[in-house]
Amino acid sequence: MKQTIITLMLSATLLSPLSDTHAQGLKELPFPVGPVTEMTYSATATRLSLWSPVAEEVRVNLYNSDLGGKPVEVVPLKRGNDGTWSVRLKGDRKGIFYTFQVKTNGKWLEETPGIFAKTVGTNGQRAMIMSLSDTNPEGWDKDKSPEMNGITDVVLYEMHHRDFSVDASSGIKNKGKFLALTEKGTQNPKGYSTGIDHLRELGVTHVHLLPSYDFGSIDERTGKSVGGGGRDQVTYYNWGYDPVNYNCPEGSYSTNPSDPAARIKEFKEMVMAMHKAGLRVVMDVVYNHVFDLAQSNFQRVVPDYFFRWQDESKAEAGKSVGKIPANGSGCGNETASEMPMMRKYMVESVLYWMREYHVDGFRFDLMGIHDIETMNAIREAAQAVDPNVVIYGEGWAASAPAYPEDKLAMKANTSRLGGIAAFGDELRDGLRGSWSNNDEGAFLVGNAGNEESVKFGIVGAIQHPGVDYSKVNYSKAPWALQPTQMISYVSCHDDMCVADRLKVTLLTKNKKKNLTDAQLLQQQTALMKLAETVTLTSQGVPFIWCGDEIMRDRKGVHNCYASPDSINAIDWNGKTENIDLFNYIKGVISIRKAHPAFRMGCAERVRENLAFIPVKQKNVVAFTLNGSAVGDTWNDIVVVFNSNLRPVSIPVEQGNYTIVVENGKVNLEGIRSARLKTVKVAPQSATIMFR
């Protein structure tokens, strides 16, 4: 995530200076031992409860609608020994909306649907009393995730709901909605598959959905974007890294935001459709910060508890201004995962999405803000539900969190995170160029000196004798114990997409050559193929950003989290224009899935069976794989990446080879066979062959 920093005007009553003694006292607050459920419905009575051990009083306001109007009833709650307040409402209250209010320091705080709200109406302002079983689509009890043999099988595909389906060329009826991924048989104007059929055709295994919980940057009444200060914007778009209610789906992606049941049922229908299509579902989760600290549900329930704080470095009129919110997220606040109830909250939230919505994996935004103990607790709990759950995240923060770095889930600490993976930006930037300079290219455009960063990514960020770590761009030592702990990628939603980056860096590299549009497109296509071949033959877990396979661009905008559809929407005519690129990437995915040598999953096996070929040429990386040692039908495999504008010849062990990838073409059965002792690799391309 890389959004603009939001400066919040925080009220003195909510954000009063927090003393160390007070902070320790908050950490020691009592909290429920069992799962926290704020609403339990039955036809004869409904139990409402709220954890707020600092409250002097708690009441619930009952409404007939999700917005507006006055409460039809206000009911006090009774305090329990664990800091939980509760009340039993007699009779059938289905369809009634409610909010809680907490009184602290003699003042009633603003209304909140609670922190565990699971059934909210428009803009998540009020929760509703209902039975979640009523939201189950037909056949939900028989829904099963596609089988898999562990994370080594995974090919990730990151997508945004609106990007994927909103353009007229998608042929999709429910544009920008959860239901878009339930539609079969959709096509672009020339008859090429789009939507869920496109994903099946491509061959990915997991669809990573950008934030799909209830977020605050879209006004669900109008569909318009909302600025950090509440300003309406002209766009109807946001990535969604602005959490409001973590445990229910976003209303703007449903067909009826005012109906809490609609968003839940439609999300489940989407999951079930993807499962039937052989696709597992990964949710992008953003527990590291909230959209607006002062107005957050956390702050309205137990003020100050769920966030980290730091000393203000400045003084006013010779006096310290005390504590301010820590800002490791770059969005005005950072949550305190180390606090017992926040840790419990995160674990229970993940388990809820798995059990209620059948979600198969989680991508943690700015995972480096969370502490290692919490992330491991999440992993252990999730694996108890599904041993094949996929968990990965960004192993960094926007700025230094207010917590010791050696206790955080940073990339450098990945070895202490069990099976959790982190994004390998060494490979990304070794291929395309530094994140801090959009004009700067790297391996793909033939800038020498990035070969070791590419090799680092090929082995999956593990210790390997063939990598010179002193020459790796960001990490001078391996950080993964197993290759499956590294996400292999060249492009994602964040920052300039690879098609745009290639365009800029190719023009910069060739500014004296005056490339024609045709020449530029030819090189873009060739290098896109090369980039995806590197990521898909890496021993890490491959990750594709939606649309890369059809040369999607974003008009050069690199941080388009709130840009309009004209920038963000996928133009599905690109599949017609770039069907050769699509078929190539589809073919390389098929190679990876069919041949375990490209996904050994074990560091020791990689060290034993992957060897780099010494090469004299710059901008060339070559390696061999001992396929027979890992049960592959291809015995000796050779892979060469050449980003130069000229062909290169690489010595290989003499023998009869079948070439399956060559000069931008792929064929699992073989493009050609030849007896070789050197292999000639075409410019800006990959070669894969075996014997």
Side-chain angles (χ1 to χ4, degrees), residues 201-202 536 580-593 660-661 666-668:
E201 184 184 4
L202 183 60
L536 287 164
D580 174 64
L581 173 62
F582 172 81
N583 286 330
Y584 177 90
I585 295 174
K586 171 185 171 182
V588 180
I589 291 174
S590 297
I591 289 175
R592 180 181 183 89
K593 292 170 74 173
V660 294
V661 173
V666 57
N667 188 328
L668 265 70

Side-chain angles (χ1 to χ4, degrees), residues 250-277:
E250 163 63 12
S252 67
Y253 297 145
S254 77
T255 60
N256 186 359
S258 66
D259 179 4
R263 63 177 77 192
I264 297 172
K265 184 178 181 181
E266 289 168 8
F267 190 100
K268 290 177 177 179
E269 288 175 325
M270 173 191 68
V271 171
M272 189 161 65
M274 286 203 279
H275 284 170
K276 287 180 178 178

